[in-house]
């Protein structure tokens, strides 16, 4: 046993001090570009309300709970419910536990394996053979408790590379969980914004439909008096039917948006009570953070996932190389054998053995070489996938920044159009009061005003959604929440 302990200690030290075969992983260099967008961003976006607009802040803070910047208790509650009850997020948590347990299982290979056994048998030996026992008895009981230890020194680093790969996969699953957390919060925020937008559009469309129906009623009276033709009334019928069709479409979209919010928060549609939410209940965050390119690749969970997958693939090359080298196993067995349980571990009943085994594949039809080539091809694949993830990350972020910039211009234009439509309505009502125009002209002005309001609602919702997309593109601030979600 002393010899075994010394052998294990020496081999363990040799394994820990040696170099593992295969390439060592090197973290990819960050992109050297100095800007995320193709064109420089302005200091601030255009303002739709005469204010200062949304400011672009270089290296601006991205809080972990970024959705609270919209200052909506309803939105905060929906995100909180989703993070607590969403099944996809629960599945991601379970997947992380699986990955951590698998990595722990691989790390166990660093330690010797210890097994204990106890055999009890009734034996009858042949008369033609020498007595098995020291006495003449041919039939006897035999009890054999024994302890076996086996250890495979990691001389070439195959075990270390296997553990390295498993730990990288666990880290990838950790970032998968963070990505699931970010995606869920973003989806809830976007769904809530769209729900609020549809609620506002529905209210405006109901007024448009009512105005169209009221105008049709007035035109029917005019037709009876001979003031208009049937063709004019038929055209108004088309307007009424189109308004009703648009109303039904918005009602359908709003109902489906409620179903989406129910699913995101872990509820069935029948058990979900939709909240009252309007775009007026939300505030646009006044700052739009802009990360440095070198920081972006460390902030994006999808890029970190690709990096850890690259790390795992890199380690698998070493695993494949180590499989081609000799495999050494040390074994020792110790125990006691006696014909009566009471005699076990007594003088003369002990036995032991110690040995080593060296195995080397001589011919396998090229299987090991093919596995090494497959591992290297897998590494090339992981490198390309990492580069694709980086490219996509920069594209997403640039898209989000440009959307914040240009959609602010669109919102300002629609706000101006809304002001013009409201002024036209005021003028039409004034002219009606003076007797210069009739009620149909007023109703048409009201329809134009409501349509301008719908366009303004849509562009305002787009601006809120742009900011959500920007926070998501920048990684969602998970690094400001060290603990896993």
């Amino acid at each position: 046993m002393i010899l075994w302990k010394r052998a294990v200690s020496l081999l363990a030290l040799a394994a820990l001090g040696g170099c593992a075969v295969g390439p060592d992983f090197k973290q990819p260099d960050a992109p050297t570009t100095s800007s995320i967008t193709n064109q420089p961003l302005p200091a601030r976006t255009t303002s739709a309300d005469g204010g200062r607009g949304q400011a672009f802040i270089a290296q601006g803070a991205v809080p972990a709970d970024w959705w609270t910047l919209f200052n909506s208790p309803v939105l905060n509650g929906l995100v909180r419910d989703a993070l607590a009850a969403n099944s996809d997020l629960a599945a991601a948590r379970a997947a992380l536990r699986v990955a951590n347990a698998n990595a722990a299982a691989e790390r166990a290979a660093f330690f010797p394996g210890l097994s204990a056994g106890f055999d009890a048998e009734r034996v009858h030996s042949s008369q033609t053979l020498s007595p098995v026992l020291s006495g003449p008895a041919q039939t006897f009981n035999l009890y054999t408790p024994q302890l076996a230890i086996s250890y495979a020194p990691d001389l070439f680093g195959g075990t270390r590379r296997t553990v390295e790969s498993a730990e990288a996969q666990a880290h990838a699953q950790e970032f998968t969980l963070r990505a699931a957390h970010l995606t869920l919060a973003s989806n809830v925020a976007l769904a809530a914004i769209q729900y609020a937008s549809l609620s506002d559009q529905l209210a405006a469309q109901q007024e448009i439909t009512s105005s169209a129906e009221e105008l049709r009623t007035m035109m029917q009276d005019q037709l009876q008096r001979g003031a208009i033709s049937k063709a004019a009334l038929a055209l108004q019928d088309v307007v009424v039917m189109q308004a009703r069709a648009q109303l039904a479409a918005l009602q359908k979209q709003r109902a489906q948006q409620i179903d989406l919010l129910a699913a995101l928060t872990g509820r069935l549609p029948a058990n979900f009570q939709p909240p009252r939410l309007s775009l007026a209940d939300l505030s646009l965050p006044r700052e739009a953070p802009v990360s440095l390119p070198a920081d972006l690749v460390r902030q994006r969970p999808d890029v970190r996932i690709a990096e850890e997958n690259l790390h795992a693939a890199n380690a698998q090359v070493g695993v494949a190389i180590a499989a081609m080298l000799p495999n050494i196993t040390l074994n020792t067995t110790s125990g006691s054998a006696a014909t009566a349980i009471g005699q076990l571990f007594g003088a003369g009943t002990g036995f032991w053995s110690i040995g080593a085994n060296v195995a080397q594949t001589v011919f396998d039809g090229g299987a090991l070489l093919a596995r090494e080539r497959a591992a290297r091809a897998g590494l090339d694949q992981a490198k390309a996938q990492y580069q694709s993830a980086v490219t996509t990350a920069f594209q997403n972020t640039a898209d989000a920044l440009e959307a914040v910039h240009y959609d602010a211009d669109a919102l300002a234009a629609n706000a101006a159009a809304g002001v013009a439509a409201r002024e036209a309505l005021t003028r039409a009502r004034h002219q009606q009061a003076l007797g210069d125009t009739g009620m149909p002209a007023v109703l048409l002005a009201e329809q134009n005003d409501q349509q301008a309001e719908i366009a303004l609602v849509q562009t305002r919702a787009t601006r809120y959604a742009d900011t959500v997309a920007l926070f998501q593109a920048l990684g969602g601030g998970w690094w400001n929440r060290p603990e896993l979600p």
Side-chain angles (χ1 to χ4, degrees):
M1 291 299 293
I2 295 176
L3 177 62
W4 159 250
K5 291 179 180 179
R6 289 179 177 176
V8 169
S9 299
L10 290 174
L11 286 171
L13 289 174
L16 292 174
C19 295
V21 294
D24 292 327
F25 178 70
K26 181 179 180 296
Q27 188 180 78
D29 295 330
T32 56
T33 180
S34 60
S35 176
I36 293 177
T37 57
N38 181 264
Q39 298 294 330
L41 294 169
R44 292 183 178 275
T45 64
T46 304
S47 174
D49 56 4
R52 302 184 63 191
Q54 202 171 21
F56 289 106
I57 305 298
Q59 296 180 274
V62 182
D65 52 351
W66 49 266
W67 54 88
T68 61
L69 298 178
F70 291 91
N71 295 319
S72 171
V74 172
L75 174 58
N76 295 343
L78 289 171
V79 174
R80 181 178 60 251
D81 292 346
L83 296 180
N86 185 267
S87 298
D88 292 337
L89 192 59
R93 293 191 189 100
L96 177 57
R97 295 198 298 273
V98 170
N100 284 333
N102 287 336
E106 296 294 349
R107 284 192 292 271
F110 286 129
F111 302 95
L114 175 66
S115 62
F118 179 79
D119 296 332
E121 54 185 337
R122 181 73 173 169
V123 181
H124 179 79
S125 63
S126 172
Q127 292 182 357
T128 61
L129 300 177
S130 301
V132 175
L133 302 179
S134 58
Q138 290 181 276
T139 302
F140 55 89
N141 297 327
L142 181 63
Y143 303 98
T144 309
Q146 61 181 351
L147 186 68
I149 301 176
S150 177
Y151 179 63
D154 189 27
L155 296 179
F156 304 107
T159 300
R160 274 170 286 170
R161 292 304 191 195
T162 300
V163 171
E164 182 183 353
S165 178
E167 289 179 341
Q169 292 171 23
H171 292 155
Q173 196 57 52
E174 174 187 331
F175 287 110
T176 299
L177 174 56
R178 295 191 185 277
H181 183 277
L182 172 59
T183 300
L184 177 59
S186 300
N187 287 343
V188 172
L190 292 172
I193 290 169
Q194 183 64 7
Y195 168 70
S197 173
L198 289 169
S199 297
D200 292 349
Q201 291 179 57
L202 189 58
Q205 187 62 36
Q206 286 171 338
E207 294 188 17
I208 291 175
T209 305
S210 297
S211 297
E213 291 172 342
E214 185 177 351
L215 178 57
R216 182 183 181 279
T217 300
M218 295 178 63
M219 293 178 71
Q220 280 181 322
D221 294 338
Q222 292 175 337
L223 178 64
Q224 292 175 356
R225 297 195 305 269
I228 63 171
S229 65
K230 288 184 179 180
L233 181 61
L235 288 175
Q236 185 59 26
D237 286 338
V238 173
V239 172
V240 170
M241 292 303 104
Q242 290 176 339
R244 290 176 179 175
Q246 183 62 24
L247 183 64
L250 288 171
Q251 289 171 331
K252 181 197 74 172
Q253 293 176 39
R254 184 175 181 273
Q256 291 178 339
Q257 204 66 22
I258 292 173
D259 296 340
L260 175 59
L261 284 171
L264 289 172
T265 54
R267 299 182 180 94
L268 298 177
N271 300 331
F272 179 69
Q273 182 63 37
R276 294 179 61 88
L277 184 62
S278 168
L279 290 181
D281 299 324
L282 301 169
S283 299
L284 185 68
R286 287 302 179 185
E287 293 183 354
V290 183
S291 295
L292 294 176
D295 294 334
L296 184 62
V297 294
R298 308 307 304 163
Q299 295 173 185
R300 292 269 301 208
D302 56 341
V303 176
R304 299 296 294 273
I305 292 170
E307 181 183 320
E308 294 299 341
N309 288 338
L310 175 61
H311 191 172
N314 187 86
Q316 284 299 319
V317 174
V319 173
I321 294 174
M324 304 171 68
L325 300 175
N327 182 36
I328 301 175
T329 305
L330 303 179
N331 299 284
T332 181
T333 303
S334 178
S336 175
T339 57
I341 292 180
Q343 297 174 355
L344 290 174
F345 303 107
T349 64
F351 65 87
W352 61 269
S353 67
I354 185 171
N357 171 267
V358 179
Q360 170 67 57
T361 299
V362 178
F363 178 77
D364 63 356
L368 292 176
L369 180 60
R371 291 192 181 99
E372 182 196 356
R373 289 172 178 170
R376 293 189 181 278
L379 178 58
D380 292 339
Q381 179 187 16
K383 288 178 180 177
Q385 290 172 336
Y386 173 81
Q387 187 57 50
S388 176
V390 172
T391 302
T392 301
F394 275 76
Q395 178 195 352
N396 291 160
T397 308
D399 287 349
L401 289 168
E402 288 158 351
V404 169
H405 176 198
Y406 292 111
D407 284 341
D409 295 342
L411 178 59
N414 276 309
V419 171
R422 182 56 52 91
E423 290 177 352
L425 175 58
T426 302
R427 190 176 302 112
R429 287 173 175 170
H430 179 67
Q431 289 174 343
Q432 182 200 22
L434 296 175
D436 294 338
T437 188
M439 188 62 187
V442 175
L443 291 175
L444 286 174
E446 288 179 349
Q447 290 180 21
N448 291 334
D449 178 62
Q450 292 301 324
Q451 288 170 349
E453 178 64 23
I454 288 177
L456 183 59
V457 167
Q458 291 173 337
T459 50
R460 180 171 285 116
T462 299
R463 282 291 289 114
Y464 288 129
D466 291 341
T467 304
V468 171
L470 178 59
F471 282 126
Q472 183 177 15
L474 294 176
W478 60 264
W479 53 94
N480 292 320
R481 181 190 290 108
E483 74 280 4
L484 285 171

